[in-house]
Amino acid sequence: MTEKLIFAQTFEGLLRSLTGKLTPRLAEGLRERGFDPAVALLPAYPQAVFIEVVCYLAREFHPGLPQEAAICALGRAFMDGYGETMVGRAMMAMMRLIGPRRTLERVSRQFRTGNNFSETRLTPVGATEYHLWVNEVRLPGWYIGILSRGLELAGGKDVKVELIHRDEAGGNFRVKWCA
């Protein structure tokens, strides 16, 4: 079985979302979880490191929120940071050009720019409502955050993303917006 990896540009997006907020204490906490923000990024990191880093940062930056809400907030901030990376700038420009529907139709390809394992299935429910199945949903709030913010950046208004089912294989999300 191939190790599940999260690519450097995902960690770069996370770092960029922390610009001006990364204290020595936070940096030490990241190092303890297998990610050193003070050294050059590795090409990829194990999925387990990413999960620990996301959970840690969510707790640190959003201590008053329940864990999934904190992870969602971090996912939303990540999208803005990711938009500052080389890969993210190109992706965001394309998303703004093609709009939310076509962005969602390309989500599997977009997720695969950040890792080596994502798979998705998209089922239309209406003109601006879809069910999206994603494998490996360990952090549902992360997907809710990145999808909602991503579709907003693509031009969607009043975007709503909710987890409707999750099991060992993955998670199903309801995704809708106003045109």
Side-chain angles (χ1 to χ4, degrees):
M1 174 184 235
T2 303
E3 181 179 20
K4 293 175 180 148
L5 299 172
I6 308 295
F7 301 141
Q9 58 264 27
T10 301
F11 279 87
E12 181 184 359
L14 263 178
L15 282 177
R16 288 180 184 262
S17 74
L18 303 176
T19 300
K21 302 174 190 172
L22 189 60
T23 65
R25 185 182 65 76
L26 284 173
E28 181 58 31
L30 291 173
R31 278 189 290 282
E32 290 170 2
R33 286 155 181 84
F35 173 63
D36 188 346
V39 300
L41 291 170
L42 300 174
Y45 297 83
Q47 179 189 37
V49 169
F50 178 75
I51 290 169
E52 284 200 39
V53 164
V54 165
C55 290
Y56 171 70
L57 291 173
R59 279 191 311 272
E60 290 295 316
F61 284 106
H62 306 286
L65 294 177
Q67 182 182 19
E68 284 305 313
I71 291 170
C72 176
L74 185 66
R76 291 181 60 81
F78 161 80
M79 287 301 292
D80 293 322
Y82 192 71
E84 297 174 15
T85 69
M86 186 170 55
V87 171
R89 275 191 296 278
M91 184 184 295
M92 298 299 172
M94 181 202 59
M95 288 166 48
R96 284 189 293 277
L97 183 66
I98 66 175
R101 180 184 56 81
R102 290 176 54 207
T103 293
L104 196 55
E105 290 170 351
R106 290 165 174 74
V107 77
S108 193
R109 189 175 355 182
Q110 291 167 342
F111 284 178
R112 290 299 291 257
T113 67
N115 66 56
N116 70 341
F117 58 84
S118 282
E119 296 176 20
T120 66
R121 285 191 303 269
L122 188 64
T123 306
V125 175
T128 60
E129 184 174 344
Y130 290 80
H131 286 177
L132 174 67
W133 176 84
V134 182
N135 71 324
E136 289 293 322
V137 176
R138 303 276 179 88
L139 303 171
W142 179 257
Y143 289 94
I144 292 168
I146 65 173
L147 287 165
S148 61
R149 182 64 181 138
L151 293 176
E152 289 169 5
L153 293 168
K157 306 286 187 248
D158 195 26
V159 177
K160 304 275 189 261
V161 179
E162 64 179 317
L163 180 68
I164 53 178
H165 177 75
R166 180 174 164 219
D167 59 26
E168 292 292 318
N172 271 307
F173 297 88
R174 178 179 295 118
V175 181
K176 60 184 178 177
W177 65 92
C178 295

